[in-house]
Amino acid sequence: MTVTLGERTEETVAICFRRAGTPAIRRTLPRKDQTLEEALADFRRTREPGAKSFGRTVYAGGQYVGDVWCYGMDPGGDPQAMVSYCVFEQALWGRGVASRALGLFLPEIRERFGLERIGAFTFMENTGSVRVLEKNGFRLTESFTEDGVESGYFEKYQIDDREES
């Protein structure tokens, strides 16, 4: 299945917000925004000069199925950004879509923003997300429990031109 990245728009942000609100996704992907208005306001901030976040849409077989994004961008920081992703089309879970999307996204943010050191958090029981990160060269550097849920912090240093996923 061909996976490609596309531009985010207010329309895709609204679709992702609604589709990612299912109980199955909410258990695996904490989200900061609680309303569509908050999600749209966050998206609009990504369009401003000096924005600290950037995202792309994920297409599988020509269908919009999720998003991948980085946030907290700081070229002088360590890490220089955090990355996250969501494939809201549950029929595609476990089929490599998120891994390929992240593999496309990482070289793009390196080229566009000069980012090399990237971090990511995931719940450790979300084995699919752990695999996505590991397939893209992230390594677990810290485990911790918060609100009774075991989480992991992963890091990737030195983004390659072509990611393996």
Side-chain angles (χ1 to χ4, degrees), residues 20-49:
T22 66
I25 295 175
R26 298 287 300 215
R27 280 191 303 274
T28 62
L29 182 69
R31 61 198 253 186
K32 178 184 77 136
D33 48 22
Q34 297 300 310
T35 67
L36 176 57
E37 291 74 26
E38 289 174 336
L40 290 169
D42 284 346
F43 166 72
R44 289 180 193 116
R45 280 191 286 280
T46 69
R47 301 292 202 203
E48 296 173 0

Side-chain angles (χ1 to χ4, degrees), residues 13-79:
V13 168
I15 291 168
C16 189
F17 180 84
R18 285 192 298 275
R19 299 286 310 272
T22 66
I25 295 175
R26 298 287 300 215
R27 280 191 303 274
T28 62
L29 182 69
R31 61 198 253 186
K32 178 184 77 136
D33 48 22
Q34 297 300 310
T35 67
L36 176 57
E37 291 74 26
E38 289 174 336
L40 290 169
D42 284 346
F43 166 72
R44 289 180 193 116
R45 280 191 286 280
T46 69
R47 301 292 202 203
E48 296 173 0
K52 299 289 184 200
S53 62
F54 171 76
R56 302 281 275 156
T57 52
V58 177
Y59 289 83
Q63 177 186 356
Y64 173 46
V65 299
D67 283 2
V68 59
W69 62 95
C70 61
Y71 59 96
M73 293 187 328
D74 175 7
D78 190 13

Side-chain angles (χ1 to χ4, degrees), residues 62-95:
Q63 177 186 356
Y64 173 46
V65 299
D67 283 2
V68 59
W69 62 95
C70 61
Y71 59 96
M73 293 187 328
D74 175 7
D78 190 13
Q80 296 170 312
M82 299 296 292
V83 70
S84 197
Y85 41 86
C86 175
V87 172
F88 54 71
E89 191 61 52
Q90 293 181 34
L92 297 176
W93 289 4
R95 296 187 54 200

Side-chain angles (χ1 to χ4, degrees), residues 37-152:
E37 291 74 26
E38 289 174 336
L40 290 169
D42 284 346
F43 166 72
R44 289 180 193 116
R45 280 191 286 280
T46 69
R47 301 292 202 203
E48 296 173 0
K52 299 289 184 200
S53 62
F54 171 76
R56 302 281 275 156
T57 52
V58 177
Y59 289 83
Q63 177 186 356
Y64 173 46
V65 299
D67 283 2
V68 59
W69 62 95
C70 61
Y71 59 96
M73 293 187 328
D74 175 7
D78 190 13
Q80 296 170 312
M82 299 296 292
V83 70
S84 197
Y85 41 86
C86 175
V87 172
F88 54 71
E89 191 61 52
Q90 293 181 34
L92 297 176
W93 289 4
R95 296 187 54 200
V97 173
S99 291
R100 287 192 293 265
L102 185 57
L104 293 169
F105 187 69
L106 291 171
E108 181 175 347
I109 62 173
R110 185 198 66 180
E111 182 177 321
R112 186 180 284 231
F113 301 107
L115 303 178
E116 291 283 345
R117 297 179 310 277
I118 308 297
F121 289 103
T122 194
F123 295 138
M124 294 306 291
E125 69 181 29
N126 185 350
T127 56
S129 184
V130 170
R131 281 193 310 271
V132 167
L133 293 170
E134 291 174 344
K135 285 181 180 180
N136 280 281
F138 285 78
R139 298 293 170 245
L140 179 65
T141 61
E142 180 182 354
S143 294
F144 57 94
T145 301
E146 188 173 67
D147 298 326
V149 179
E150 185 183 4
S151 296

